[in-house]
């Protein structure tokens, strides 16, 4: 990554996206969320965690839910709050803080928003989270207008890195350099 010129800040942004999306994948799978894209659904079954009643949210949680509603309409093309956020609303501070983190991590910086959305999809795919794959696919198809060819190219990249990581772990490969800084890759 440093060789691509994103610098330490860019690498940190990539890591933040990967960590954040991995945590959302874990939550979605722990809650056993059904896919609510493009149409809303209610969790069912004896162990399902029900969404919060958004009318009862107050303060920061109510503000976050309002932002999520607008963002979901624009970026996901849905007229409902995605289940991951409405379930987190059962703990209002968790919802507000998680949404704030989402906006911080997923907003453009050294790495632009479009690239971060692609990274989010790649993490969801590598983590094999059906819910977050659907969530990030909705974003890629709606906000970025990615067509089939671009989606296949993105999945091919994920396949390449999953294969490479599997082989390198199986062969117990270690990096040639362990002490690296962005300055090591500048100028030439």
């Amino acid at each position: 990554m440093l060789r691509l010129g994103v610098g330490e800040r860019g690498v940190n942004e990539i890591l933040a996206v990967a960590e954040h999306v991995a945590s959302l994948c874990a939550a979605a799978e722990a809650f056993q969320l059904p896919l609510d894209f493009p149409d809303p659904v209610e969790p069912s079954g004896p162990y399902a965690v029900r969404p919060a009643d958004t009318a009862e949210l107050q303060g920061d949680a109510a503000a976050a839910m309002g932002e999520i509603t607008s963002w979901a309409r624009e970026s996901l093309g849905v007229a409902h709050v995605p289940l991951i956020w409405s379930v987190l609303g059962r703990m209002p501070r968790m919802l507000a803080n998680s949404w704030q983190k989402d906006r911080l991590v997923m907003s453009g910086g050294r790495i632009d928003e479009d690239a971060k959305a692609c990274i989010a999809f790649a993490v969801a795919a590598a983590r094999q989270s059906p819910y977050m794959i659907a969530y990030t696919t909705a974003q890629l198809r709606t906000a970025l207008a990615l067509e089939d060819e671009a989606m296949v190219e993105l999945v091919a990249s994920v396949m390449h890195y999953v294969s490479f990581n599997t082989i390198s772990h199986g062969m117990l490969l270690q990096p040639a350099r362990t002490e690296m800084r962005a300055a090591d890759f500048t100028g030439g």
Side-chain angles (χ1 to χ4, degrees):
M1 285 284 127
L2 291 172
R3 285 186 225 156
L4 296 177
V6 298
E8 287 181 39
R9 180 178 172 195
V11 171
N12 285 333
E13 288 182 19
I14 292 167
L15 293 172
V17 171
E19 175 278 325
H20 178 60
V21 175
S23 70
L24 291 174
C25 289
E29 297 315 301
F31 295 142
Q32 300 177 14
L33 295 179
L35 304 183
D36 61 337
F37 303 97
D39 299 313
V41 297
E42 287 292 320
S44 61
Y47 306 114
V49 178
R50 307 279 184 249
D53 182 350
T54 57
E56 293 180 9
L57 295 176
Q58 299 175 3
D60 291 344
M65 196 61 80
E67 289 177 24
I68 293 166
T69 302
S70 297
W71 179 85
R73 187 175 298 114
E74 181 181 311
S75 298
L76 303 178
V78 296
H80 63 278
V81 172
L83 279 173
I84 188 74
W85 300 111
S86 59
V87 170
L88 287 176
R90 291 208 158 270
M91 289 183 66
R93 286 180 58 196
M94 180 69 173
L95 167 67
N97 291 334
S98 295
W99 178 249
Q100 186 177 29
K101 177 184 175 187
D102 187 88
R103 293 300 76 213
L104 174 68
V105 168
M106 298 305 294
S107 294
R110 187 75 172 92
I111 308 295
D112 66 39
E113 274 188 64
D114 293 354
K116 287 182 176 183
C118 291
I119 294 165
F121 172 83
V123 172
R127 291 289 179 138
Q128 300 179 12
S129 170
Y131 184 85
M132 288 306 296
I133 291 169
Y135 180 101
T136 55
T137 298
Q139 183 178 9
L140 294 175
R141 294 287 199 168
T142 302
L144 277 65
L146 289 191
E147 297 191 8
D148 291 348
E149 291 77 11
M151 292 299 297
V152 172
E153 184 176 352
L154 188 52
V155 170
S157 295
V158 173
M159 291 170 62
H160 169 76
Y161 283 102
V162 167
S163 296
F164 178 77
N165 286 338
T166 301
I167 291 167
S168 65
H169 286 278
M171 295 178 69
L172 302 174
L173 297 179
Q174 298 297 317
R177 295 180 70 182
T178 57
E179 299 290 327
M180 292 187 282
R181 300 179 334 261
D184 297 336
F185 295 92
T186 58

